[in-house]
Amino acid sequence: MAVVLARNLLESLWVGVGTRLALGQGMSLVSVALSLVLATSPSEAWSLERVVSESLARSPEVAAAQAEEQGAEGVRATDGRWPRANPSVELALVTDALTGDTGEQRTELVLSQALEVAGQSGLRVERASAALSAARARRHAVMLSASAGAVESAVELERREARATLARESLELTREMEAATVRRFAAGDVSELDRNAAALERARAEARAAQALAEVVAARAELNRRLGRSMDSALRVSLVDTATQPLPSSLEGEPPSLVAARAEVAASGSEVDLLRRERIPSPTVSLGYERERRPESHGAFSDVHTEHLLIARLSVPLPLWDRNQPELAEARARRKVRESEQVARERDVSAEQSVARATFDAARSAHEALMAVRPSVDRNLELVRRAYEAGELGLDALFLARDRAFAAAAEGVDAAAALVRARVALLRSVGRLPTGQVPE
């Protein structure tokens, strides 16, 4: 029953009373048709928030970025430990057993530990913390990319559905025009040329409608792919309304890619400082126990003398040949590269934000302009249609009015989709999700 009612209402959109009613409520023909299509769908339309949350939860790129961040957290946790090097144990046994003499016997047990005394541990923590900040910023950038891609696909699906609805409406109107032309041909008001032209236009409208439906299927499959769903899963979205929603009060911010670039510069600088600090030798402290047994002669008597000794050693390597020269040169080169990348990224961000703001303003102006002239276009189509049925205008004038009306409707659909895309791009340029939230 609901489907029949929706179809009847859809067919009546081109009637003057129905058109005036829709316009009186402040809705365009595209919005009314799209609402009717969504109302007849058995599934609930997905909102912007649901599309964003599902895309982030099911994105393999986001999962990979999360794994990278977890790895950086593990490195940060281990780099803060002191001492860093593992201790070593040395056991030595010295005896005269090979010579068969009962001579000196010595047993040693020594525990050694290398210690960093030049602040290397703190620099490792700084480097790991900067690397962790860069990994987190890259995850945020991936979240923005994944959510923006899903919203782009959702907007494209909604645009294709609206264009398919317009194609069906155009087909219905063309069929009515063909029927009216046949009646006028039977009455002798028009020539056979007009009747054949009407049949040709109806066939072209059928082809456009079929192509529009195929494009809807392709757009839905692309969105399902981004959401991790089966390609043929039923899915409807409702995102075009977000085009008219106000932007967040404050659009100040930086994209995560710039934050990551700065963190990578900090990490490369800490690496250079660490390599410099590692030139300072790390001493090795040893502590052990030694037991020594040796025979002693006291005149006519002899016995075995046993001594228990405490061993303490301190060894320091001499940095004569290896002073981290190649590693330090490579680290300095990497720091220069990261600094250059940061400068380039800052320029890119500045340009992206300026372009995004200008594109959004232009898209909003275009959308408002097209929505403002829609009532006049719809009214002209109705007037031309009545004049044709009354025999006051020819078939070419009716086709021209139809093409203009549906071209204006299609441009309105495209303008609404372009406004949503521009809004998403503007939010992304300041490091925000399509919902306006900052990624966490």
Side-chain angles (χ1 to χ4, degrees):
M1 183 65 183
V3 176
V4 176
L5 179 59
R7 185 182 298 112
N8 293 336
L9 290 175
L10 193 61
E11 292 175 352
S12 66
L13 284 174
W14 297 103
V15 181
V17 176
T19 303
R20 288 192 296 271
L21 178 60
L23 296 176
Q25 294 175 348
M27 299 175 61
S28 67
L29 179 61
V30 178
S31 301
V32 175
L34 184 57
S35 300
L36 291 175
V37 172
L38 295 177
T40 59
S41 174
S43 60
E44 182 182 357
W46 285 37
S47 63
L48 174 65
E49 290 75 12
R50 185 177 179 184
V51 170
V52 171
S53 62
E54 288 292 327
S55 65
L56 295 180
R58 298 174 179 272
S59 171
E61 293 81 5
V62 174
Q66 290 175 345
E68 180 185 358
E69 183 181 1
Q70 292 172 358
E73 289 176 351
V75 173
R76 168 63 179 81
T78 57
D79 278 350
R81 294 184 301 185
W82 190 91
R84 178 181 176 85
N86 292 324
S88 62
V89 177
E90 180 181 358
L91 177 63
L93 178 62
V94 181
T95 180
D96 291 341
L98 295 179
T99 62
D101 298 332
T102 304
E104 181 178 352
Q105 293 182 357
R106 189 169 64 250
T107 304
E108 293 182 2
L109 179 62
V110 181
L111 177 65
S112 301
Q113 175 66 60
L115 301 177
E116 295 177 337
V117 295
Q120 294 95 328
S121 178
L123 290 174
R124 286 194 182 91
V125 171
E126 292 181 6
R127 181 185 62 179
S129 299
L132 176 58
S133 299
R136 183 175 294 112
R138 285 192 294 269
R139 176 176 63 85
H140 291 168
V142 172
M143 292 174 64
L144 294 183
S145 177
S147 60
V151 172
E152 173 76 17
S153 298
V155 171
E156 181 64 15
L157 173 59
E158 191 170 6
R159 187 182 77 88
R160 292 297 180 183
E161 287 180 340
R163 294 290 293 261
T165 301
L166 289 176
R168 290 194 299 269
E169 294 174 358
S170 176
L171 176 58
E172 293 298 326
L173 178 61
T174 305
R175 287 172 176 171
E176 295 177 4
M177 293 164 52
E178 182 185 15
T181 303
V182 170
R183 290 194 300 269
R184 292 186 61 185
F185 175 74
D189 294 338
V190 297
S191 64
E192 183 179 359
L193 183 63
D194 289 341
R195 186 192 65 177
N196 295 337
L200 175 60
E201 288 297 323
R202 185 258 308 153
R204 294 176 61 191
E206 290 176 348
R208 287 192 296 267
Q211 181 63 32
L213 291 177
E215 292 174 353
V216 169
V217 173
R220 183 178 292 110
E222 173 62 19
L223 179 57
N224 281 327
R225 182 189 68 82
R226 290 187 177 273
L227 297 178
R229 293 158 50 92
S230 175
M231 297 300 104
D232 56 352
S233 297
L235 179 62
R236 291 193 180 278
V237 294
S238 178
L239 275 68
V240 173
D241 292 339
T242 61
T244 58
Q245 293 180 0
L247 291 169
S249 57
S250 176
L251 284 180
E252 300 295 331
E254 295 177 340
S257 58
L258 180 56
V259 177
R262 291 175 177 170
E264 289 173 355
V265 169
S268 61
S270 298
E271 183 180 6
V272 172
D273 295 338
L274 175 60
L275 290 173
R276 287 175 177 172
R277 199 70 58 86
E278 285 180 345
R279 286 180 167 182
I280 301 176
S282 296
T284 300
V285 178
S286 302
L287 184 65
Y289 164 78
E290 179 179 344
R291 190 184 71 170
E292 182 179 348
R293 298 181 64 190
R294 65 179 182 272
E296 290 186 352
S297 177
H298 304 280
F301 301 97
S302 63
D303 61 357
V304 178
H305 179 71
T306 302
E307 292 182 352
H308 300 276
L309 305 176
L310 179 65
I311 302 174
R313 294 195 188 110
L314 177 64
S315 62
V316 179
L318 299 179
L320 297 180
W321 322 122
D322 185 6
R323 293 182 296 169
N324 292 337
Q325 295 95 329
E327 294 83 357
L328 188 57
E330 292 177 355
R332 287 171 175 167
R334 283 194 296 269
R335 183 178 61 180
K336 291 181 180 180
V337 171
R338 297 294 180 265
E339 291 173 348
S340 300
E341 291 175 349
Q342 177 186 345
V343 173
R345 188 58 193 148
E346 287 175 349
R347 295 176 181 176
D348 292 342
V349 167
S350 178
E352 288 172 2
Q353 290 179 346
S354 300
V355 172
R357 169 60 70 178
T359 303
F360 176 77
D361 293 339
R364 182 170 54 185
S365 300
H367 180 261
E368 293 174 353
L370 289 172
M371 292 300 102
V373 299
R374 280 305 311 282
S376 300
V377 175
D378 294 340
R379 180 58 178 169
N380 285 346
L381 176 60
E382 180 62 24
L383 293 176
V384 171
R385 179 180 176 182
R386 292 178 180 178
Y388 175 75
E389 293 179 350
E392 299 175 359
L393 291 176
L395 186 61
D396 291 340
L398 181 57
F399 285 156
L400 180 60
R402 180 207 60 179
D403 293 341
R404 286 181 176 177
F406 282 98
E411 290 177 0
V413 170
D414 295 343
L419 182 57
V420 177
R421 294 191 183 99
R423 187 177 188 273
V424 172
L426 178 58
L427 292 173
R428 183 179 179 182
S429 68
V430 295
R432 292 177 179 264
L433 295 170
T435 56
Q437 300 173 340
V438 178
E440 297 179 355

